[in-house]
Amino acid sequence: MQYEAKDEPQKVEAGATEEKIDQEAPSFQFNTTLSTFHGETRGERTERQRDRDRQLRKRKLGIFFISVGVVLGLVMMIMTQFSGRLTTVTSNAPSMNSESAETYKGLVEEYLTNYPFERFSFVRRDKAFSEFVIEKAPEILKIKVSSSGIASSKLELEFRSSVAMWTNGAMTSYVDASGVVFERNHFAEPSVTIADNSGLAPIDGVAASARFLSFVGQVTAEIAKANGGTVDRVVIPRGAVRFVEFYLAGRPYPFKAQIDRDPVSQAADIMATARYLDEHGIVPNYVDVRVVGKGFWK
């Protein structure tokens, strides 16, 4: 009994010592690391940690505003590429009136209505668009729709310049240097006129075919390129179907030309024969250049 009584205070003292040690030592928990261990309470943060949090919030806010700016920029860029209402129409013809402008705007709107996605310029098929409008209005040489602001656009037109004209009653047809025939002329009337003396009945109001007019326009343009060559007028002789007569300025006699021939070579033959006649002082009644590389006169 004395032995047990002697050891009892020692156990109590040892237990008290362990309890005291446990109270004084930091509390470590299972799976606690240095990064997750908090020597202080969670509500207390150092000044360095608060600065880091502020910097993080500023960075996130900056990224947010940059993202919003990029999105708004893309939206604005897309809207400026959108061909909305046509506000203005410009052209190289100062005589174009408001009625004609509305006509061309209507053709553009017709195409964009058929292909609504092509209101955005970056997906528009420019070639198909031009062909659609020019087919309905052949007097147009070039056409372009460009942005003039947000959801608005402007129409830019370049018209053909005629080199010859043919009139039959109230109807007049024009032709440009490339041989394109059209009926609406926005410039001054050309000096070269076509007189139809064929005596043939008009077909659908047009006695001279588009092929004939195209030939006359190209030959007239090619002769104008040569030195001293200017077409004064063109005549369709009586009963003629496949040939015409070109009268050059300062010459009383005509040059008979075949419309089935190439216009460039036909013009070259006309000018070569004219120079030969001038060099030899010959003034014929007419010159026939319908055969390639040859000239006959009477």
Side-chain angles (χ1 to χ4, degrees):
M1 293 297 294
Q2 292 180 355
Y3 178 78
E4 295 177 356
K6 184 178 181 179
D7 294 339
E8 186 66 21
Q10 295 178 356
K11 291 182 178 179
V12 173
E13 185 177 354
T17 303
E18 292 176 358
E19 182 179 355
K20 183 178 180 180
I21 293 173
D22 291 340
Q23 291 176 352
E24 294 177 354
S27 177
F28 291 93
Q29 299 179 1
F30 184 69
N31 286 337
T32 299
T33 64
L34 291 177
S35 62
T36 60
F37 170 72
H38 300 276
E40 302 174 348
T41 60
R42 291 181 179 272
E44 298 178 356
R45 303 184 65 82
T46 65
E47 184 65 26
R48 183 176 182 180
Q49 289 173 325
R50 286 194 292 271
D51 289 341
R52 186 172 56 190
D53 291 342
R54 283 193 294 268
Q55 292 176 1
L56 182 60
R57 286 194 297 270
K58 289 181 180 179
R59 188 180 299 112
K60 290 181 178 179
L61 193 61
I63 294 174
F64 171 77
F65 282 119
I66 291 174
S67 300
V68 171
V70 170
V71 172
L72 290 177
L74 290 174
V75 171
M76 292 294 292
M77 184 183 68
I78 291 175
M79 291 303 295
T80 56
Q81 298 296 314
F82 180 76
S83 299
R85 185 171 59 92
L86 288 170
T87 56
T88 57
V89 180
T90 60
S91 72
N92 61 336
S95 63
M96 185 183 67
N97 54 36
S98 59
E99 182 179 354
S100 296
E102 290 299 321
T103 299
Y104 299 127
K105 288 169 63 175
L107 293 177
V108 173
E109 287 295 338
E110 181 181 350
Y111 178 86
L112 295 178
T113 300
N114 294 338
Y115 306 98
F117 286 108
E118 295 194 30
R119 286 189 180 273
F120 294 98
S121 60
F122 54 85
V123 296
R124 185 179 305 134
R125 300 169 299 162
D126 292 331
K127 183 178 180 180
F129 169 66
S130 298
E131 289 176 350
F132 176 87
V133 177
I134 293 175
E135 182 181 2
K136 297 177 180 293
E139 67 274 11
I140 297 176
L141 178 62
K142 295 180 182 179
I143 181 171
K144 180 182 179 181
V145 175
S146 57
S147 173
S148 62
I150 298 177
S152 63
S153 55
K154 62 180 178 180
L155 178 61
E156 300 176 49
L157 300 170
E158 182 178 345
F159 293 107
R160 300 180 186 276
S161 179
S162 60
V163 297
M165 60 180 290
W166 175 83
T167 302
N168 179 29
M171 186 173 183
T172 301
S173 297
Y174 301 88
V175 61
D176 72 346
S178 60
V180 176
V181 179
F182 52 95
E183 297 179 2
R184 189 182 290 112
N185 180 39
H186 292 287
F187 298 99
E189 298 289 85
S191 59
V192 179
T193 60
I194 301 173
D196 185 3
N197 298 331
S198 64
L200 301 177
I203 301 176
D204 296 331
V206 180
S209 66
R211 182 183 180 187
F212 162 75
L213 287 172
S214 177
F215 175 81
V216 170
Q218 292 179 80
V219 171
T220 300
E222 289 297 324
I223 291 176
K225 294 178 183 178
N227 294 329
T230 303
V231 176
D232 184 50
R233 60 192 175 96
V234 180
V235 175
I236 306 175
R238 184 169 185 79
V241 176
R242 302 169 69 97
F243 74 95
V244 295
E245 295 177 343
F246 286 90
Y247 285 82
L248 304 187
R251 301 173 186 273
Y253 52 90
F255 291 80
K256 298 181 184 292
Q258 187 75 18
I259 67 172
D260 293 334
R261 285 189 55 191
D262 174 63
V264 176
S265 63
Q266 182 75 94
D269 287 346
I270 290 175
M271 293 308 301
T273 306
R275 285 191 292 269
Y276 179 87
L277 295 176
D278 291 343
E279 291 173 358
H280 294 79
I282 302 174
V283 181
N285 292 326
Y286 67 87
V287 179
D288 193 331
V289 290
R290 286 177 287 182
V291 179
V292 179
K294 295 182 179 180
F296 305 92
W297 58 85
K298 179 180 180 182

